[in-house]
């Protein structure tokens, strides 16, 4: 995701599209793994939910960008989905830090 955001910032929207396309299976694996931990009894429902949101946002961002890749433009929805993914990662980091501090 960070590579896609950096590529967008540099104006290389095709590279950003392919970076997001590669992120789809990675996000799917992470979401399934987090959901599996919840099914195993771990108290990580928020973590699993946030990964599901990231997966949905990445898929939407790729789908919207796919039509515009030849034009070299980035649709507003695709840019918003990418920024929302980065925001979700910030929420995940804050939640993990809060859990770590609470456990100490």
């Amino acid at each position: 995701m960070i590579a896609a955001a950096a590529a967008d910032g540099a104006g290389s929207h095709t590279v950003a599209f392919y970076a997001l396309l590669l992120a789809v299976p990675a996000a799917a694996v992470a979401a399934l793994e987090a959901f599996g931990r919840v099914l195993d009894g771990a108290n990580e429902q928020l973590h699993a939910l946030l990964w599901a949101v990231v997966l949905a946002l990445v898929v939407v961002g790729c789908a919207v960008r796919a039509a515009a890749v030849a034009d070299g433009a980035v649709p507003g929805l695709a840019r918003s989905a990418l920024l929302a993914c980065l925001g979700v990662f910030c929420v995940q980091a804050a939640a993990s830090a809060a859990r770590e501090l609470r456990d100490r």
Side-chain angles (χ1 to χ4, degrees):
M1 307 298 168
I2 295 172
D8 265 347
S12 183
H13 305 301
T14 304
V15 173
F17 169 72
Y18 287 116
L20 282 176
L21 197 60
L22 289 174
V24 170
V29 167
L32 286 172
E33 194 258 336
F35 183 63
R37 283 197 311 262
V38 170
L39 291 178
D40 287 340
N43 188 17
E44 298 182 10
Q45 291 85 0
L46 177 63
H47 190 67
L49 175 69
L50 290 175
W51 272 114
V53 169
V54 165
L55 177 59
L57 288 169
V58 170
V59 168
V60 166
C62 281
V64 172
R65 279 177 189 263
V69 140
D71 299 337
V74 180
L77 180 60
R79 183 172 284 130
S80 296
L82 179 59
L83 292 175
C85 280
L86 295 175
V88 170
F89 286 144
C90 290
V91 170
Q92 281 181 328
S96 294
R99 179 181 300 144
E100 187 67 30
L101 290 173
R102 185 182 61 227
D103 290 345
R104 285 185 180 197

